[in-house]
């Protein structure tokens, strides 16, 4: 591997404009060599605007490019498996958007293919790397709230204003499910990072009036391998937007939003300590830096195929009744 990891993006759509594309260019030891989109004109436009040397309208051409060392798959979940297997067959590491795939079976196939090819597989659960959640982890690991007992999550959102504009996110044939898989996955993966893997999970999913096929409301309960208990409810057909999790311990609690930028708060019996930690300009950059470091033999990536599959298993269990 070169001392600079040269990336190629399959699917240079909206998520890559600010969150990830520039991060691949700005991370130390990283560069962006090529981009691909099925619409060649849009791929060319992206390349011109972002100063990328080459663009393609065929994924295979990007994967075969000798100046692409690693492949970032930024397409909807329904094609994650296809492109991951192709990149692995070419001997190239893969960084895939979240959720990792449309279902657990596909996650397993992706992991197996990358293991067989001897290439690493990473996922874009970038909240693991954000400074605000690194601070939350410091509080937990230092014992600031004592022994962790439970975590509770509530996320509600107003109905989609234009379903047609976001159709793929709520079409199970493309996304694997509804907004719970797209959005709720971030919180569940973050809890996996902060509290360890989930051991037991149950849940229930429904569509409470949304004009699309997928579920819009999910509730669940789970127990982590550590013994910590958790509950969560996600509703994407509510009157208002709300998003918070509270991790409760024997000496205090930590409250945070998975998506908002408001202060994280450490609470104990005698004080409340809010801390505001802004997001970086390109939110995937801290995670990408850990991936690049690992590829260059200098560290350990924070989000892998194995960790992402754990989150997919939890989500699949929570919506199983709806798709049975």
């Amino acid at each position: 591997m070169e001392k600079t990891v040269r990336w190629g993006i399959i699917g240079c759509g909206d998520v890559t404009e600010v969150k990830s594309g520039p991060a691949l260019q700005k991370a130390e030891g990283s560069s962006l060599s090529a981009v691909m989109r099925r619409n060649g004109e849009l791929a060319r436009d992206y390349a011109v605007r972002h100063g990328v040397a080459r663009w393609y309208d065929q994924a295979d051409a990007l994967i075969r490019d000798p100046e692409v060392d690693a492949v970032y798959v930024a397409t909807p979940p329904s094609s994650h498996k296809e492109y991951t297997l192709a990149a692995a067959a070419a001997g190239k590491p893969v960084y895939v958007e979240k959720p990792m795939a449309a279902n657990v079976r596909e996650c397993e196939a992706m992991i197996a293919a990358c293991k067989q090819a001897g290439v690493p597989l990473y996922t874009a659960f970038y909240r693991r790397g954000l400074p605000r959640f690194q601070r939350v982890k410091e509080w937990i690991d230092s014992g600031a709230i004592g022994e962790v007992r439970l975590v509770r999550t509530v996320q509600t959102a107003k109905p989609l204003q234009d379903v047609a504009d976001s159709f793929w996110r709520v079409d199970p044939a493309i996304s694997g499910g509804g907004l719970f898989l797209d959005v709720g996955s971030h919180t569940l993966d973050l809890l996996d990072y902060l509290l360890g893997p989930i051991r037991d999970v149950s849940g229930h999913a429904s569509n409470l009036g949304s004009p699309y096929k997928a579920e819009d409301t999910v509730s669940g309960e789970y127990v982590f391998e550590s013994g910590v208990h958790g509950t969560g409810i996600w509703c994407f057909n509510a009157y208002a937007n709300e998003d918070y999790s509270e991790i409760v311990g024997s000496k205090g609690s930590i409250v945070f939003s998975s998506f908002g930028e408001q202060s994280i708060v450490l609470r104990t019996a005698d004080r409340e300590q809010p801390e505001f930690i802004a997001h970086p300009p390109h939110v995937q950059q801290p995670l990408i830096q850990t991936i690049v470091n690992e590829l260059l033999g200098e560290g350990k990536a924070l989000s892998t195929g194995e960790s992402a599959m754990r989150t997919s298993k939890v989500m699949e269990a929570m919506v199983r009744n709806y798709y049975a």
Side-chain angles (χ1 to χ4, degrees), residues 51-73:
V52 181
R54 292 178 307 289
W55 59 270
Y56 299 99
D57 59 10
Q58 298 291 325
D60 286 346
L62 180 139
I63 291 170
R64 293 194 308 267
D65 188 331
E67 295 189 34
V68 169
D69 300 316
V71 176
Y72 167 38
V73 180

Side-chain angles (χ1 to χ4, degrees), residues 130-132 261 275-281:
L130 289 176
R132 68 197 315 264
E261 210 172 359
E275 286 193 22
F276 177 77
I277 303 174
H279 290 322

Side-chain angles (χ1 to χ4, degrees), residues 17-317:
E17 287 287 347
V18 177
K19 291 181 178 180
S20 57
L24 293 172
Q25 294 171 307
K26 294 181 178 182
E28 186 177 350
S30 178
S31 67
L32 181 56
S33 294
V35 295
M36 172 269 166
R37 197 165 180 175
R38 286 179 297 178
N39 184 320
E41 283 302 306
L42 293 178
R44 183 188 66 82
D45 173 71
Y46 185 99
V48 169
R49 288 186 293 104
H50 289 272
V52 181
R54 292 178 307 289
W55 59 270
Y56 299 99
D57 59 10
Q58 298 291 325
D60 286 346
L62 180 139
I63 291 170
R64 293 194 308 267
D65 188 331
E67 295 189 34
V68 169
D69 300 316
V71 176
Y72 167 38
V73 180
T75 60
S78 58
S79 57
H80 288 184
K81 175 187 169 184
E82 172 191 353
Y83 292 136
T84 296
L85 267 57
K92 299 190 177 183
V94 187
Y95 175 49
V96 65
E97 265 301 328
K98 43 61 50 189
M100 181 176 165
N103 54 59
V104 172
R105 185 179 65 256
E106 292 185 355
C107 293
E108 291 171 340
M110 292 160 66
I111 289 172
C114 289
K115 283 185 176 179
Q116 183 176 1
V119 298
L121 174 60
Y122 309 104
T123 55
F125 280 118
Y126 60 84
R127 278 169 174 75
R128 290 175 174 240
L130 289 176
R132 68 197 315 264
F133 297 122
Q134 289 292 310
R135 181 60 168 149
V136 170
K137 187 165 178 59
E138 287 176 9
W139 281 340
I140 294 170
D141 293 348
S142 69
I145 62 170
E147 296 182 7
V148 178
R149 304 300 195 204
L150 62 93
V151 57
R152 49 194 174 210
T153 294
V154 173
Q155 183 176 2
T156 63
K158 297 177 183 178
L160 287 174
Q161 294 301 303
D162 188 350
V163 173
D165 187 53
S166 301
F167 77 97
W168 70 266
R169 299 181 187 276
V170 291
D171 182 348
I174 301 174
S175 64
L179 293 173
F180 171 65
L181 271 71
D182 182 41
V183 178
S185 59
H186 270 301
T187 299
L188 288 167
D189 183 81
L190 182 59
L191 293 180
D192 179 283
Y193 176 62
L194 295 173
L195 303 176
I198 288 173
R199 181 183 69 213
D200 300 312
V201 58
S202 62
H204 194 88
S206 305
N207 185 308
L208 300 180
S210 295
Y212 48 74
K213 297 178 182 178
E215 80 290 341
D216 63 14
T217 302
V218 179
S219 59
E221 59 181 17
Y222 20 90
V223 178
F224 295 77
E225 289 181 359
S226 63
V228 172
H229 285 230
T231 62
I233 187 158
W234 293 260
C235 179
F236 300 95
N237 190 8
Y239 83 100
N241 297 329
E242 187 175 24
D243 162 36
Y244 70 87
S245 291
E246 182 177 19
I247 299 173
V248 178
S250 59
K251 297 180 180 179
S253 70
I254 301 168
V255 179
F256 61 86
S257 165
S258 295
F259 297 92
E261 210 172 359
Q262 59 261 47
S263 295
I264 56 176
V265 181
L266 172 63
R267 294 172 176 166
T268 60
D270 56 0
R271 69 188 178 101
E272 184 168 297
Q273 177 185 333
E275 286 193 22
F276 177 77
I277 303 174
H279 290 322
H282 311 292
V283 290
Q284 290 199 27
Q285 189 169 340
L287 173 62
I288 287 171
Q289 188 66 66
T290 72
I291 292 169
V292 170
N293 290 349
E294 180 174 296
L295 290 173
L296 296 176
E298 299 170 358
K300 195 73 173 174
L302 290 177
S303 181
T304 66
E306 294 284 355
S307 64
M309 184 170 69
R310 293 198 298 266
T311 295
S312 288
K313 286 181 176 179
V314 171
M315 293 189 297
E316 195 164 288

